[in-house]
Amino acid sequence: MATEITNHKCPACTGPLHFAGASGMLECDYCGSKFSVEEIERLYAANEAEAAENFEEKEDKPFEENGTEWTEREAKNLRTYSCPSCGAELICDSTTAATSCPYCGNPTVIPGQFTGGLKPDLVIPFRLNKDQAIAALQKYYSGKVFLPNDFKKRNHIEEIKGIYVPFWLCDCETEGKALYKGSNVRTWREGDYDITETTYFDVLREGKLDFEMIPVDASTKMPDEHMDAIEPFDYRDLKPFSTAYLPGFFADKYDVSQQDSMERISERAKNSIKSELRGTVRGYSMVSTINENYNFNSKEVKYALLPVWMLSTKWNGENFLFAMNGQTGKLIGDLPVDKKKFWGLFGAIAAPLAVIFSIIAILL
Amino acid sequence: MTKKIVSLILAFVLVFGISVSAFAATGDVAFDKMVIDYPDILSSEEEAELENRAWELTKQYHCGVYIMITDTLGGMEAWEFNEMVYDELSLGYGSERSAIVLLISTGERQYDIMAHGYGNTVFTDYGKDIMAERFVDNLGNDDWYGGFCDYIDTCDEFFVADLEGEPVDVGTESSGGIGIFGVFIAIILACLIAMAICLILRSQMKTARKATEAHKYAKDLALSRQYDRFSHRDVIRRYNPPSDNDSGGTTVNSGGFSHKSGGF
């Protein structure tokens, strides 16, 4: 059966393979065999090429609406595939590149999402697994004094997903020129007069700052705040892209173009050169900026998939989303604040301090 | 002019001089009328009440506490008038003739606080400033009795402070008001510290933030041009003579008197 998706089966027992971050190899869920990425790439190169070809043929075919449930817009963003293991119909959105079959659970890859110009240049494989992500979330809760007691007790992880998130990694350079007014103040006394002398300086700084691989997530599904906050990734682990890293995880292709991402990268780079230039102005008691001008030039942009664990929980009808860097383990996310605990702690600190300070004030 | 002044003081002496005969009765006080109300602005009850309180303080602290009220200074400065009355009526307690005298003129709306002898120890320049602040608003509103009560109360408070070894002066607390202010500041400071700690802990609950800079990915800054050029210099000269009260204590003139004068 010709299909546009593949799943990587164990050459020993035909069981499904998944990529294990700890070993950096593909492991069989059934017989425990392990295979290197290169071995699997060799074995499945032909299958993936065929799947990609089928995918291209299907690209021109619209999603077939069999009922009235799907709007035209929804239908346009959906794709259907047949699971190569059980034959069930998989419905994914148009950016899905790796997923798992909801019926048989087998990890599946859609190589067509990564062909031609859509092929990522680089990937950082997952290093941390699902259990480590759950443990990190539990650890994240600890030491949060304002976390409602109820949140930890009743809170259950609704969903946990390991996702290869598409990122643009942008090499760029910035040039900046800033004119400041620096001043120093000296005071002394002459007879019955207080003398204040203010000396002003014109200060110029002009320079260039290069950046290497500023990351910006290229998926509209991922909240920018979460993706920015889990930085940095250790680029020493970057590897040439291979679909062999994907089994067992979800993956999306980008849906935010390089062009659209440049604004965010440019803003970050300009802010950096601005503060770097300002940091070189020293020796003044006051500095004000008279005028400034910054230019941004992008150089090489690479397309990379970076590993992220997304965890979502629900409490009191509200969703809480956490993201963990699948390589470094840095976990971030917003937590609810118990107002009673907040004001309770405020009172517990303020009251004794007020008593101590009052006694000191009276004694002085 | 001199004739007018002399006649004015003589009038004081004539009206109140009878009491000078009481010198023998008290022994230490030559003039035992503590409140002299020449223009009669106080009711007899008010005057009696003030008289009693002033006399009690005088006896207790061995320092004459006087209130002198006139309707004119006869062209003199308030402090000159006060010194002349003090001399003419032989005010003061004991051989040092210790006294604190509040003179007011309802005509010129001027006052003078004058101390002598032990009074100079108790009522420092700074102390007299504090005292004036307390009664001037009452006198300005023609609340004579209220103003004089504030004066007597302040005298009592300052005598106590001196007996406790710390006369009211620069760098000392003169009243509970400053203490309450200190407590207020202490409470505000405690609240600010508590709020800062709570906000730091609260910030740990919100960690998903957009990045605004990219320092982690930056190489070294290469400066191509830089200078720091002198532009100009501004010099401001502000006249600020040393305050008399800066170093505390009491400024006493050649006659042994110290004063604080002003209007109301």
Side-chain angles (χ1 to χ4, degrees):
Chain A
M1 185 178 68
T3 177
E4 61 277 8
I5 69 175
T6 65
N7 57 10
H8 295 75
K9 289 177 183 168
C10 174
C13 71
T14 70
L17 292 174
H18 71 273
F19 181 80
S23 63
M25 300 177 90
L26 285 110
E27 295 179 359
C28 175
D29 293 338
Y30 291 93
C31 68
S33 300
K34 293 180 181 179
F35 304 93
S36 71
V37 170
E38 292 75 21
E39 284 174 310
I40 295 300
E41 273 177 347
R42 268 198 310 276
L43 280 169
Y44 283 90
N47 277 10
E48 286 188 10
E50 187 191 344
E53 201 174 304
N54 292 333
F55 179 84
E56 280 165 23
E57 283 171 14
K58 184 161 181 170
E59 274 272 275
D60 299 323
K61 296 175 189 170
F63 176 74
E64 289 171 12
E65 292 180 63
N66 295 323
T68 54
E69 291 90 352
W70 304 104
T71 65
E72 193 181 334
R73 192 176 169 187
E74 283 170 334
K76 195 180 167 191
N77 289 322
L78 290 174
R79 296 254 187 280
T80 57
Y81 307 104
S82 292
C83 173
S85 290
C86 68
E89 190 172 62
L90 305 179
I91 300 174
C92 308
D93 69 30
S94 58
T95 59
T96 301
T99 183
S100 60
C101 174
Y103 300 101
C104 67
N106 281 346
T108 56
V109 176
I110 307 161
Q113 296 282 36
F114 295 135
T115 52
L118 302 174
K119 187 186 175 187
D121 302 303
L122 301 159
V123 61
I124 293 179
F126 270 90
R127 190 186 284 171
L128 303 169
N129 62 30
K130 191 176 185 174
D131 294 337
Q132 287 169 308
I134 293 167
L137 184 63
Q138 294 304 323
K139 193 180 169 196
Y140 184 66
Y141 291 162
S142 65
K144 301 286 190 296
V145 289
F146 298 139
L147 190 67
N149 295 333
D150 205 29
F151 183 82
K152 262 201 244 182
K153 281 180 200 162
R154 290 199 189 175
N155 181 253
H156 298 291
I157 297 171
E158 293 261 315
E159 193 177 22
I160 176 162
K161 272 184 179 179
I163 305 172
Y164 279 105
V165 178
F167 274 80
W168 299 117
L169 305 180
C170 180
D171 291 348
C172 57
E173 62 180 20
T174 50
E175 287 173 346
K177 183 179 178 181
L179 186 65
Y180 309 95
K181 182 70 83 180
S183 60
N184 282 322
V185 179
R186 196 164 67 97
T187 57
W188 69 93
R189 197 167 165 80
E190 277 179 14
D192 285 348
Y193 286 87
D194 290 330
I195 316 290
T196 306
E197 178 196 78
T198 311
T199 312
Y200 295 92
F201 294 85
D202 292 328
V203 181
L204 179 93
R205 294 290 184 270
E206 192 173 345
K208 193 176 154 204
L209 188 61
D210 288 350
F211 297 87
E212 204 168 24
M213 292 200 280
I214 299 177
V216 59
D217 77 270
S219 170
T220 51
K221 286 186 210 165
M222 295 294 144
D224 292 344
E225 293 83 3
H226 286 68
M227 294 302 103
D228 285 358
I230 59 170
E231 289 177 20
F233 287 88
D234 184 352
Y235 290 149
R236 287 174 299 183
D237 284 349
L238 276 170
K239 300 197 182 310
F241 176 74
S242 165
T243 54
Y245 294 108
L246 306 185
F249 300 100
F250 292 83
D252 287 333
K253 70 170 186 178
Y254 71 84
D255 59 355
V256 181
S257 68
Q258 277 186 35
Q259 213 71 21
D260 293 341
S261 299
M262 274 312 138
E263 196 180 328
R264 286 187 60 208
I265 294 173
S266 166
E267 187 190 337
R268 289 179 65 178
K270 283 181 180 176
N271 283 341
S272 290
I273 190 171
K274 181 179 175 177
S275 65
E276 286 282 332
L277 285 178
R278 174 64 184 81
T280 64
V281 182
R282 300 189 195 97
Y284 301 101
S285 55
M286 270 188 68
V287 177
S288 55
T289 305
I290 305 300
N291 62 53
E292 55 191 347
N293 183 38
Y294 305 103
N295 294 315
F296 170 83
N297 293 308
S298 71
K299 294 191 315 196
E300 193 183 357
V301 180
K302 297 182 190 82
Y303 176 25
L305 296 186
L306 305 183
V308 179
W309 283 103
M310 297 300 294
L311 304 94
S312 69
T313 65
K314 207 167 192 176
W315 181 73
N316 277 358
E318 202 180 334
N319 286 316
F320 293 89
L321 184 68
F322 304 91
M324 189 182 92
N325 185 317
Q327 180 197 27
T328 65
K330 183 180 181 185
L331 191 141
I332 59 91
D334 294 348
L335 291 166
V337 174
D338 186 329
K339 285 182 183 168
K340 279 183 190 168
K341 282 189 173 185
F342 182 90
W343 291 112
L345 183 68
F346 174 82
I349 298 169
L353 277 181
V355 171
I356 292 166
F357 290 164
S358 299
I359 291 169
I360 292 169
I362 290 164
L363 290 177
L364 288 176
Chain B
M1 177 63 77
T2 312
K3 271 188 179 176
K4 193 178 175 185
I5 294 163
V6 171
S7 62
L8 189 71
I9 292 166
L10 279 176
F12 256 85
V13 176
L14 284 173
V15 174
F16 302 103
I18 305 151
S19 297
V20 176
S21 58
F23 177 45
T26 56
D28 292 319
V29 181
F31 186 81
D32 63 357
K33 179 95 177 111
M34 315 313 289
V35 180
I36 297 174
D37 180 13
Y38 188 68
D40 206 18
I41 57 173
L42 297 169
S43 68
S44 53
E45 291 80 16
E46 288 170 343
E47 190 175 331
E49 173 64 21
L50 292 169
E51 178 77 32
N52 279 339
R53 291 194 60 199
W55 180 239
E56 285 303 316
L57 291 179
T58 302
K59 280 193 299 180
Q60 191 176 350
Y61 298 109
H62 297 181
C63 180
V65 176
Y66 299 96
I67 297 170
M68 301 282 164
I69 308 166
T70 179
D71 55 359
T72 177
L73 296 171
M76 296 173 78
E77 294 292 332
W79 65 270
E80 284 180 288
F81 192 95
N82 210 355
E83 284 188 13
M84 287 186 75
V85 171
Y86 173 89
D87 283 335
E88 289 298 329
L89 299 181
S90 300
L91 303 185
Y93 187 101
S95 58
E96 270 195 322
R97 295 182 60 200
S98 300
I100 174 79
V101 185
L102 169 61
L103 167 82
I104 72 157
S105 169
T106 55
E108 289 84 354
R109 299 193 75 83
Q110 293 283 314
Y111 73 87
D112 178 64
I113 304 166
M114 183 183 74
H116 191 266
Y118 171 56
N120 283 329
T121 307
V122 178
F123 303 96
T124 62
D125 294 342
Y126 177 73
K128 286 199 272 290
D129 287 345
I130 299 279
M131 176 184 271
E133 276 173 25
R134 293 188 187 172
F135 65 67
V136 156
D137 55 341
N138 296 86
L139 299 186
N141 294 323
D142 290 352
D143 175 14
W144 313 112
Y145 180 69
F148 296 135
C149 283
D150 285 344
Y151 162 71
I152 297 277
D153 289 342
T154 309
C155 287
D156 192 7
E157 186 187 319
F158 286 14
F159 279 126
V160 171
D162 181 66
L163 279 185
E164 287 173 352
E166 195 171 24
V168 175
D169 203 348
V170 176
T172 64
E173 297 287 336
S174 63
S175 70
I178 293 170
I180 288 167
F181 182 69
V183 170
F184 178 72
I185 294 292
I187 291 168
I188 295 287
L189 187 65
C191 288
L192 286 176
I193 291 172
M195 184 53 77
I197 293 170
C198 287
L199 288 178
I200 288 169
L201 291 172
R202 192 175 180 274
S203 72
Q204 294 174 357
M205 311 291 282
K206 309 271 177 198
T207 52
R209 293 187 196 97
K210 264 193 177 181
T212 54
E213 292 187 337
H215 288 301
K216 289 175 222 139
Y217 312 97
K219 295 178 180 174
D220 290 336
L221 174 72
L223 282 174
S224 53
R225 196 169 156 226
Q226 61 172 317
Y227 63 70
D228 294 57
R229 283 183 195 149
F230 171 75
S231 165
H232 63 282
R233 182 176 285 124
D234 285 344
V235 178
I236 298 167
R237 293 166 64 87
R238 193 170 61 86
Y239 181 65
N240 182 19
S243 167
D244 291 341
N245 282 337
D246 281 353
S247 54
T250 307
T251 309
V252 179
N253 65 19
S254 57
F257 298 102
S258 62
H259 291 271
K260 161 74 183 173
S261 302
F264 57 86

